[in-house]
Each structure stands twice: as C-alpha cells, then as structure tokens.
Amino acid sequence: MEPTFLYERWVKKKMFEYLTISCPPQLKGRIVTLSPKQYGGVLLQAYVGRVSIEEIASFISLKPEKLYQWRKEPEFMLASDWNKCLFASEFTESMVLKDYSMTEYHEIAGEFSILEESLRVSARIPLFHRFRMLGQRLLSKVRYGIEMDRYDMVVFKRLFAFFLALEYHWPSPASKRIKKDFMPLAEKVIWPELSPGTSVAAELEDIQGSEPIDMLLGKLAERLRQIFDYYPCEIIR
C-alpha cells in the first residue's frame, strides 16, 4: 500500500497541473514564468530544513549551486511562499473533512513534522485552535448532560487522531492538554460512540508500532524522485 504523504501528493498534483495547464498561472496578477524544473524546485522548498538543499536538488537532477541561485530570486521565493499558503489551507481542510486510518495519520504526521517550520506553524496553529475549541465545547456538553452533535464528534476524532500522531513525531507543549483534557473525552465518549470495539489505547499501539521516521523519510525521498523521473528530461530541464 502506498504511504500517505499529503505534501508529496500535492507536489505530484501541482507538477501535473503546471505541465498540462493551457493558461499559465498568475501570482498577484503576474504570469508565473518559472520553467517546470524551477517550479519543481519551488514545490520542494517546503521540505527545506530536515531535508538539505543538496538532497532537494538531487530530486530534480539539479546542481545544488543552481538551486542556491534560484533561492535568491524574488519570483522563485514568492512562488514558494504562495505555494506553502495554498497547501496549508488544503491540509487543514483534509484533516477536518477526511477520515484516515491510524497508520495513515502516522505517515501524515511524520511527513508534516519534517516540513519547513513556517509551513508547519501556519498549518498547525489554526487547526489546533479549532481542535481545542471543539474539544472544550464537547467537554462542556458532557459536563451538563447536553446531547452532542455527531458531526462535531467525528471532526474531534479526526483531529484528535492527527494531533496524537503528531505528538509522536513533533512533541509540543500541547501534549499535556491533549492527555489531561482530551484523552479522557476520547476514551470514554468519542471512541465508544463512533468506533465501538476499538480503543484509543489500541490506536496508540498502532502509532508506536508503525515504521520509524527514518524509514518513512526513505520512502518519501524515493517517491519524490519518482515524480521527477516520470517527466521526460527535455520537458523539465
């Protein structure tokens, strides 16, 4: 089964769109004039930090010196920031609207933890704010015996699973709140209602028994290379 790396899937989708679109995309009213290979470099900037510039350059068969040069060009970096903003919005939507298995959350969180810091922060802050507010609302309803909306419970379950997996890869001060306030809610109310026969403890075992981050990174690097190997060199040089 293919690993669930949401940003890698985003790269693949955006490269296909860029190579097949009939009308060049515009950024702040200006047509993007980047070559397809430059655009690939733009997309891969989201991994800068945990992944080196040299390794990113190797994914697109580029000399590192060239990528360093591109990173000094305003259009290249502006396009990179624009791309990160778009992905952060789509990532938030995916976490709220889609269901994943615990293994998939582990893979999603593993990749998320190696993304460039500003992207991680811009995606995590609004998502965790929504998770915290939703959790507090559900706790209040439990406390006063008010019936909970099933959709709220479903969204809480999705976000709880993601942040539980993320703490395994990218620990944060929010860990205490998750364990103290929201773990009992998940264990005693949400899982019994939405997933009878399973438990949060079993989900935790799934995370801890999943592949370590180094193995996930190896798979991710291979999949990124495959994206750029797929396109003929004369198209993306």
Side-chain angles (χ1 to χ4, degrees):
M1 184 178 295
E2 293 184 354
T4 307
F5 299 133
L6 295 188
Y7 191 76
E8 176 261 334
R9 293 182 179 183
W10 172 267
V11 171
K12 187 174 183 178
K13 179 179 73 171
K14 288 299 178 181
M15 279 305 301
F16 176 79
E17 290 175 355
Y18 199 73
L19 290 171
T20 58
I21 195 169
S22 57
C23 180
Q26 293 190 1
L27 176 57
K28 295 188 175 181
R30 296 171 54 187
I31 293 177
V32 176
T33 59
L34 300 169
S35 71
K37 180 164 279 195
Q38 284 178 307
Y39 190 67
V42 161
L43 296 175
L44 293 176
Q45 293 310 292
Y47 290 115
V48 171
R50 183 68 181 267
V51 183
S52 69
I53 297 293
E54 289 73 17
E55 188 169 10
I56 286 174
S58 75
F59 294 155
I60 50 177
S61 302
L62 188 73
K63 291 183 178 180
E65 297 77 23
K66 192 67 175 177
L67 185 53
Y68 277 113
Q69 178 186 327
W70 287 348
R71 283 169 53 84
K72 296 177 182 179
E73 298 174 2
E75 183 182 21
F76 184 89
M77 295 310 295
L78 184 62
S80 175
D81 291 341
W82 175 52
N83 170 70
K84 292 174 192 175
C85 182
L86 293 176
F87 175 74
S89 178
E90 180 164 300
F91 182 86
T92 298
E93 185 175 297
S94 296
M95 291 299 97
V96 170
L97 299 179
K98 297 180 181 180
D99 286 310
Y100 298 95
S101 70
M102 211 58 214
T103 296
E104 289 172 327
Y105 279 117
H106 170 75
E107 293 165 347
I108 291 168
E111 184 195 36
F112 186 86
S113 72
I114 68 162
L115 293 177
E116 189 268 336
E117 185 176 9
S118 67
L119 173 55
R120 276 183 285 148
V121 171
S122 65
R124 186 189 183 282
I125 287 178
L127 197 59
F128 189 79
H129 176 73
R130 180 167 184 167
F131 170 55
R132 186 181 71 247
M133 297 300 291
L134 177 58
Q136 290 173 342
R137 186 163 71 247
L138 291 176
L139 283 171
S140 180
K141 288 186 176 183
V142 169
R143 187 176 300 116
Y144 294 106
I146 301 173
E147 183 178 357
M148 293 183 289
D149 181 84
R150 186 173 180 83
Y151 177 73
D152 284 348
M153 295 173 70
V154 168
V155 173
F156 175 87
K157 186 174 187 290
R158 291 167 179 162
L159 297 182
F160 179 83
F162 168 68
F163 282 109
L164 195 64
L166 188 59
E167 286 300 318
Y168 182 74
H169 295 288
W170 186 29
S172 74
S175 178
K176 291 183 180 180
R177 175 180 286 269
I178 293 172
K179 292 178 180 178
K180 180 181 177 181
D181 296 339
F182 297 146
M183 182 72 80
L185 174 64
E187 289 178 326
K188 297 176 182 179
V189 180
I190 304 300
W191 256 254
E193 178 65 27
L194 300 180
S195 302
T198 65
S199 67
V200 178
E203 303 281 28
L204 275 171
E205 288 180 5
D206 285 345
I207 295 175
Q208 294 167 351
S210 298
E211 292 179 314
I213 186 63
D214 289 343
M215 291 186 66
L216 289 179
L217 286 177
K219 287 186 176 181
L220 175 61
E222 179 59 29
R223 294 187 64 78
L224 289 170
R225 288 190 179 91
Q226 288 174 359
I227 291 174
F228 296 98
D229 286 346
Y230 176 81
Y231 302 110
C233 293
E234 65 268 17
I235 293 180
I236 63 170
R237 69 184 172 203

